[in-house]
Amino acid sequence: MNVLKFGGTSVGSAKNINSVISILDDYSKTDKVICVVSAVGGITDKLLKAGELAQTKNKDYISEFETISEIHHTILSKLVPSEGDAISNHLNDKLQELRNLLDGIFLINEISPKTSDKLVSFGELLSSFMIAETMKKRGLDCLRKNSQELIVTNSNFTKAEVLYDQTNQNIRHYFSEAKQQITILPGFISKSEQGEITTLGRGGSDFTAAIVAAALNVNRLEIWTDVSGMYTTNPKMVKQAFPIEHLSYQEAMELSHFGAKVLYPPTVQPVLNLNIPIHIKNTLEPEAFGTKISNDSNGNSNAVKGISNINNIALLTLQGNGMVGIPGFSKRLFETLAQEKINVIFITQASSEHSICFGIDIKDSQRAKKAIDSTFENEISLHKIDPIIVETDLSIIALVGDKMKSHQGISGKMFSTLGKNNINIRAIAQGASEKNISAVISENDVKKALNTLHERFFEAKTKQLNVFITGVGNVGERLVEQIKQQRKYLKEQLKINLKIVGLSNSRTMIFDEGGLSLKDWKTNLASGEKASLNGFLEQAIKLNLRNSIFVDVTANEDVSNLYAAYLKHSIAVVACNKIACSSAFENYNSLKELSRKYNAPFLFETNVGAGLPVIDTLNNLVASGDKITSIQAVLSGSLNFVFNNFNDSTKFHDVVKQAQKEGYTEPDPRIDLSGVDVARKILILARESGTEMNLSDIENTSFLTKANLDSNSVEDFYNTLIDDEAHFQKLYSSAKANDCQLKYVAEFNNGKAKVGLKEIPKGHPFYNLEGKDNIVMYYTQRYPEQPMIIKGAGAGADVTASGLFADIIRTGNK
Ligand code: ADP
Ligand code: ASP
Ligand code: MG
């Protein structure tokens, strides 16, 4: 004898019902089959909604009823198209009965739990009827038996308890005499001893099947649904979730108790004692293995088998000094909850006994508060304890696995993973059996928590980075192209799954939670929504994705003013924009602190030397205990270009013009020539070496004339360069006479920094610096005489983009 249960989706359309029938046909060729069916998918909810509308005197219940009626008629007409008259007449009669019941609820303006059960019972009665009749029509040896005549319960309507003695007897007796090869049973519904219709709780068809399987002690119970088994976590929340092949009964119970809806929690109990395995299978993909739940050893499986979540949780806290050391408080508390029939999902008590904290369904929270405050009225009035505290909008997430107890550090990993993603934990519980570690978190964080924990425990080797890029001009565009090119390599070689989730320029912005397609990104961006800096920030916060990274490829102060907001939401910031790091020390410092506090890396390697690893090397030296004593550097690609091309046969004015034309200077060349840009860079290096410094502390001896510096427009500036040609020629000839090259040098020595033009003698590492190259020499305690030297192209879109790219990857390793 086989017992198979098919859920709402499996019987949700004529097409799926045909798959069910073909599975049953196959099974029945070798053995008798009992098939338990749910209501057509979504019908139980619709019945409850119609009842609710009728009860509140809202006539929309009629259209809800009509939808229910139409769904059934449509399915039936597709299953038995030509010969459906008798069957559809019967369907109409049943639907009329339903309509009468709803009209009655409307008239009396009331729906008791008892009436509610009667109402929802129509769902399973209708589906089982349609399926059985279709099978008969197709010549299968099939009969429907109303399970209300088999399963007997108490009168706890909406979630009745089974009276097993009578139930088992009924089932055994009926099936010992049943001759048909296939029996269809409606799931979920039952009857009380008094003959009233009861139900087994939402999702209860699984339970019906387990009760029947246990009563008949069959070889296995099969639960057929719309997914290929019990997944490592809810597949609707985590794309990477995958089916777990084997689970123990305990693990399955824990996962389902903590929210894995695919199995109704009470289902395990009846079959567990008899060691009947449960197999979860996919009706839409019968060849998939699914999940087998049994007592078999799980082999070398993961210690953590699955992660589940329950939403709509309220956390209640009973606390007060009067509780310490006095027995009986928890007894009275939980007795009160039991009397109110409130199910407690989660409990923790601090070892100080000063407080007890427990989680319940949010819908019970006000009732619980009222009852508990009344139980402890006396103690509350004497200020021995406080009125109960209720917190809402919470969820419980749980890690489950039999073998977790023999693995150290799992809870540490769980909480540090959540902490790194700035997910605040309100309460923690770990059963003594250590099969389950659960935490209460905000409901807003559930998706992020499940994804990040899943990544940590099941995709140990891959990490997803979710990138939001603002500013896709020259450098930004190169960055997107580099990411596009490297994605496959990153995934395969570095196990990094890099997704660009948001993209913006100054005009438009686009987002895709699953990762933007980079094929036609420019066209897509052009037709995106209107760009807004705050809108971009808000979207990044709202999506609340793990490992989110904001990349600033602008030179805009308004963008850098938002870094703090990104960091406060644990979104890493990667910037080539220098403004934030060279702004007031307090601002730079507070961004660094936010980065530490919220575990969100703040990286700006490209602020100095474009793609050269200038800052990363400095950070590594400092982190490993070295001390920077001096930094000597040539940090301006534009000034290098100018002094490499200026000599006695060129004109200073012309060389600067050419530098600007070739894109080596800012649109206003005074920013480069005045040395401000270089001063900002050495400031950042000084700060990263641990010195508190501001731009105004940097000595800047300009090689420009007063007239150059006083010019009030770019044009005016160029004119003064022509006037002062002799001044520049003097600088050149002096250097030449000394056999030196002119280089614009930034220096940091013993806590002081300066920038200025210098004559560099032959043999010095700066002497032969070419083109737009940069060079940085670090003198440290470990490198006292021979400095550590970093040299290479210090400007250009491609190298800057690759520096940003390296920072993005670096955030993933932090
Ligand atoms: P049925 O109608 O067949 O009883 P349910 O809707 O009750 O199906 O249960 C199946 C659904 O459970 C899946 O579609 C999935 O969305 C949800 N689910 C939640 N957690 C899990 C999990 N860990 N594994 C598989 N499914 C899960
Ligand atoms: N139809 C019922 C429900 O939706 C029972 C079930 O599907 O298991 O809750
Ligand atoms: Mg179900």
Side-chain angles (χ1 to χ4, degrees):
M1 183 89 80
N2 293 297
V3 178
L4 283 73
K5 176 258 169 176
F6 290 89
T9 314
S10 307
V11 298
S13 65
K15 184 169 165 263
N16 290 356
I17 292 177
N18 282 329
S19 306
V20 171
I21 294 175
S22 109
I23 293 167
L24 293 176
D25 187 17
D26 250 18
Y27 274 61
S28 66
K29 286 184 180 129
T30 48
D31 203 349
K32 283 191 169 172
V33 180
I34 300 170
C35 165
V36 177
V37 293
S38 287
V40 168
I43 290 296
T44 311
D45 287 336
K46 286 194 162 43
L47 287 165
L48 287 170
K49 183 160 173 223
E52 174 75 27
L53 289 168
Q55 181 214 8
T56 51
K57 286 275 174 199
N58 185 336
K59 285 207 159 172
D60 288 348
Y61 79 92
I62 298 171
S63 63
E64 200 64 36
F65 164 78
E66 278 161 2
T67 313
I68 294 170
S69 167
E70 198 186 312
I71 291 173
H72 286 93
H73 275 298
T74 309
I75 293 179
L76 188 65
S77 66
K78 286 186 184 154
L79 287 173
V80 273
S82 52
E83 306 166 80
D85 276 358
I87 307 174
S88 70
N89 283 345
H90 182 87
L91 180 67
N92 274 333
D93 291 349
K94 284 308 281 182
L95 286 166
Q96 188 54 49
E97 240 183 79
L98 168 63
R99 173 66 198 261
N100 293 344
L101 178 61
L102 287 167
D103 290 344
I105 296 170
F106 180 80
L107 268 179
I108 60 168
N109 196 353
E110 192 198 295
I111 184 166
S112 63
K114 181 170 154 180
T115 312
S116 174
D117 271 357
K118 183 166 183 162
L119 181 64
V120 288
S121 71
F122 278 90
E124 269 67 10
L125 288 172
L126 291 172
S127 64
S128 57
F129 165 74
M130 290 194 306
I131 293 166
E133 291 306 313
T134 306
M135 290 175 75
K136 279 196 240 165
K137 279 265 175 234
R138 295 188 189 171
L140 290 155
D141 179 16
C142 168
L143 208 72
R144 175 178 80 148
K145 172 73 182 166
N146 189 341
S147 15
Q148 289 169 326
E149 290 157 23
L150 302 176
I151 299 178
V152 188
T153 67
N154 66 9
S155 298
N156 195 359
F157 296 103
T158 74
K159 199 173 179 178
E161 279 147 46
V162 177
L163 305 174
Y164 279 100
D165 286 347
Q166 238 174 299
T167 301
N168 287 343
Q169 205 182 333
N170 291 344
I171 294 171
R172 283 171 198 148
H173 179 252
Y174 175 76
F175 284 101
S176 67
E177 293 186 349
K179 297 281 178 292
Q180 69 278 11
Q181 196 68 0
I182 304 171
T183 310
I184 306 287
L185 293 177
F188 179 52
I189 56 178
S190 41
K191 252 187 197 153
S192 72
E193 283 176 298
Q194 289 72 35
E196 304 143 322
I197 297 176
T198 54
T199 61
L200 301 174
R202 291 303 308 269
S205 295
D206 299 346
F207 191 26
T208 305
I211 295 165
V212 175
L216 301 174
N217 200 0
V218 296
N219 288 333
R220 68 183 203 163
L221 163 64
E222 294 185 10
I223 305 285
W224 289 76
T225 181
D226 59 352
V227 282
S228 299
M230 177 91 86
Y231 277 56
T232 43
T233 189
N234 187 342
K236 294 216 169 92
M237 301 280 251
V238 179
K239 263 204 199 139
Q240 289 84 350
F242 53 87
I244 312 165
E245 287 200 349
H246 294 278
L247 281 171
S248 72
Y249 291 116
Q250 297 300 334
E251 289 169 332
M253 253 195 290
E254 291 287 346
L255 283 169
S256 66
H257 265 293
F258 279 87
K261 186 187 167 216
V262 64
L263 194 68
Y264 182 53
T267 308
V268 179
Q269 203 61 47
V271 293
L272 169 120
N273 300 334
L274 298 167
N275 226 343
I276 301 172
I278 305 174
H279 213 130
I280 303 178
K281 298 279 291 177
N282 189 348
T283 309
L284 315 172
E285 206 189 326
E287 56 294 342
F289 177 80
T291 296
K292 190 178 173 197
I293 302 164
S294 68
N295 260 341
D296 293 351
S297 106
N298 291 329
N300 294 325
S301 61
N302 241 346
V304 179
K305 295 295 278 290
I307 310 166
S308 56
N309 70 294
I310 318 180
N311 294 350
N312 297 321
I313 294 291
L315 194 66
L316 279 72
T317 308
L318 187 68
Q319 62 182 28
N321 295 328
M323 285 168 62
V324 183
I326 299 173
F329 267 97
S330 16
K331 179 168 174 277
R332 285 166 63 204
L333 170 65
F334 293 112
E335 262 171 14
T336 307
L337 291 167
Q339 268 161 16
E340 290 288 321
K341 295 209 163 68
I342 292 172
N343 181 30
V344 178
I345 306 167
F346 175 103
I347 307 171
T348 57
Q349 178 171 23
S351 53
S352 68
E353 294 183 33
H354 176 262
S355 73
I356 302 175
C357 185
F358 58 96
I360 58 177
D361 192 312
I362 208 161
K363 72 175 180 346
D364 298 327
S365 59
Q366 283 318 311
R367 211 153 44 87
K369 177 168 170 58
K370 221 166 130 197
I372 298 164
D373 282 348
S374 137
T375 301
F376 294 102
E377 198 177 357
N378 190 27
E379 287 85 349
I380 293 171
S381 70
L382 296 172
H383 299 292
K384 282 187 178 169
I385 59 170
D386 307 332
I388 197 143
I389 303 164
V390 182
E391 292 166 79
T392 54
D393 300 325
L394 298 171
S395 293
I396 299 176
I397 45 169
L399 293 192
V400 169
D402 283 345
K403 289 198 200 147
M404 293 200 310
K405 60 178 175 296
S406 50
H407 282 70
Q408 270 127 20
I410 289 180
S411 47
K413 269 187 213 165
M414 173 179 182
F415 301 129
S416 69
T417 305
L418 294 174
K420 270 191 195 149
N421 275 279
N422 199 27
I423 295 164
N424 189 26
I425 300 168
R426 285 289 307 110
I428 295 170
Q430 177 168 11
S433 66
E434 283 187 49
K435 288 181 195 305
N436 174 326
I437 309 171
S438 21
V440 178
I441 61 171
S442 159
E443 202 164 311
N444 275 338
D445 286 330
V446 166
K447 193 165 181 193
K448 178 153 109 175
L450 291 179
N451 275 282
T452 188
L453 289 173
H454 195 267
E455 189 170 79
R456 183 73 183 82
F457 289 102
F458 295 101
E459 309 155 45
K461 291 183 216 87
T462 57
K463 185 161 188 173
Q464 184 171 314
L465 304 182
N466 297 298
V467 179
F468 297 80
I469 303 176
T470 283
V472 276
N474 206 2
V475 176
E477 189 181 322
R478 297 304 312 140
L479 175 62
V480 176
E481 290 300 328
Q482 288 180 10
I483 291 176
K484 188 170 144 190
Q485 250 172 38
Q486 279 303 98
R487 272 232 304 240
K488 193 158 168 266
Y489 173 85
L490 290 177
K491 209 167 189 169
E492 285 168 6
Q493 301 298 320
L494 303 183
K495 307 288 177 205
I496 289 175
N497 183 6
L498 202 159
K499 292 185 175 172
I500 300 183
V501 178
L503 210 50
S504 171
N505 56 25
S506 53
R507 296 172 298 280
T508 46
M509 56 185 189
I510 45 173
F511 302 92
D512 185 341
E513 188 178 344
L516 291 162
S517 151
L518 298 185
K519 208 164 137 244
D520 302 312
W521 67 271
K522 278 193 201 163
T523 330
N524 296 339
L525 177 59
S527 55
E529 61 186 289
K530 193 170 177 307
S532 115
L533 297 181
N534 278 314
F536 200 73
L537 166 72
E538 276 160 25
Q539 190 63 18
I541 295 171
K542 197 168 128 219
L543 286 169
N544 201 11
L545 300 172
R546 68 194 185 283
N547 309 322
S548 289
I549 306 161
F550 171 67
V551 186
D552 176 8
V553 204
T554 72
N556 183 332
E557 185 167 0
D558 294 337
V559 178
S560 68
N561 285 340
L562 293 176
Y563 294 172
Y566 280 101
L567 294 170
K568 278 183 193 160
H569 285 89
S570 284
I571 298 172
V573 173
V574 166
C576 66
N577 181 349
K578 278 194 274 298
I579 297 175
C581 287
S582 55
S583 64
F585 182 80
E586 296 73 52
N587 186 44
Y588 157 85
N589 201 37
S590 93
L591 291 173
K592 297 280 266 188
E593 265 168 22
L594 287 175
S595 159
R596 270 189 293 274
K597 180 166 173 200
Y598 292 96
N599 262 311
F602 172 37
L603 299 177
F604 39 85
E605 179 62 86
T606 47
N607 279 195
V608 183
L612 296 176
V614 176
I615 296 176
D616 191 47
T617 307
L618 175 57
N619 291 156
N620 288 339
L621 288 171
V622 174
S624 64
D626 204 354
K627 283 222 157 45
I628 310 295
T629 49
S630 167
I631 302 172
Q632 309 284 320
V634 176
L635 296 171
S636 169
S638 33
L639 285 169
N640 252 7
F641 179 88
V642 169
F643 287 105
N644 281 343
N645 289 289
F646 176 55
N647 53 44
D648 44 13
S649 56
T650 55
K651 294 235 154 48
F652 194 72
H653 164 274
D654 298 348
V655 176
V656 176
K657 257 268 141 79
Q658 192 194 346
Q660 184 179 13
K661 209 171 120 213
E662 293 191 13
Y664 292 135
T665 71
E666 302 282 327
D668 182 346
R670 288 172 296 179
I671 297 179
D672 298 292
L673 272 76
S674 67
V676 170
D677 195 52
V678 175
R680 282 187 186 149
K681 291 177 182 170
I682 193 75
L683 173 69
I684 294 170
L685 295 185
R687 286 175 171 177
E688 290 291 298
S689 326
T691 305
E692 186 175 332
M693 190 183 275
N694 275 310
L695 200 58
S696 55
D697 300 326
I698 296 176
E699 199 185 315
N700 183 348
T701 351
S702 183
F703 65 88
L704 295 175
T705 66
K706 187 160 180 314
N708 302 150
L709 292 168
D710 289 348
S711 60
N712 41 31
S713 71
V714 174
E715 203 191 334
D716 191 17
F717 173 67
Y718 273 115
N719 288 333
T720 63
L721 291 186
I722 297 175
D723 297 344
D724 290 337
E725 178 65 21
H727 162 77
F728 297 110
Q729 283 299 340
K730 223 163 95 194
L731 295 176
Y732 174 76
S733 55
S734 154
K736 197 176 172 199
N738 294 332
D739 217 0
C740 286
Q741 289 273 6
L742 286 173
K743 299 285 167 200
Y744 198 84
V745 176
E747 293 173 88
F748 170 69
N749 288 309
N750 301 322
K752 298 226 171 332
K754 60 178 177 189
V755 295
L757 193 65
K758 279 195 142 183
E759 291 184 0
I760 303 294
K762 253 198 182 127
H764 188 283
F766 293 176
Y767 186 87
N768 285 323
L769 205 62
E770 283 173 7
K772 50 187 193 292
D773 280 5
N774 278 196
I775 183 165
V776 181
M777 304 199 295
Y778 289 124
Y779 290 89
T780 72
Q781 277 178 354
R782 290 186 198 139
Y783 296 89
E785 269 120 42
Q786 290 302 320
M788 177 183 275
I789 299 181
I790 299 157
K791 182 179 161 189
D798 260 321
V799 284
T800 309
S802 73
L804 286 166
F805 199 171
D807 269 353
I808 293 172
I809 304 298
R810 229 170 263 149
T811 66
N813 299 332
K814 297 247 167 188

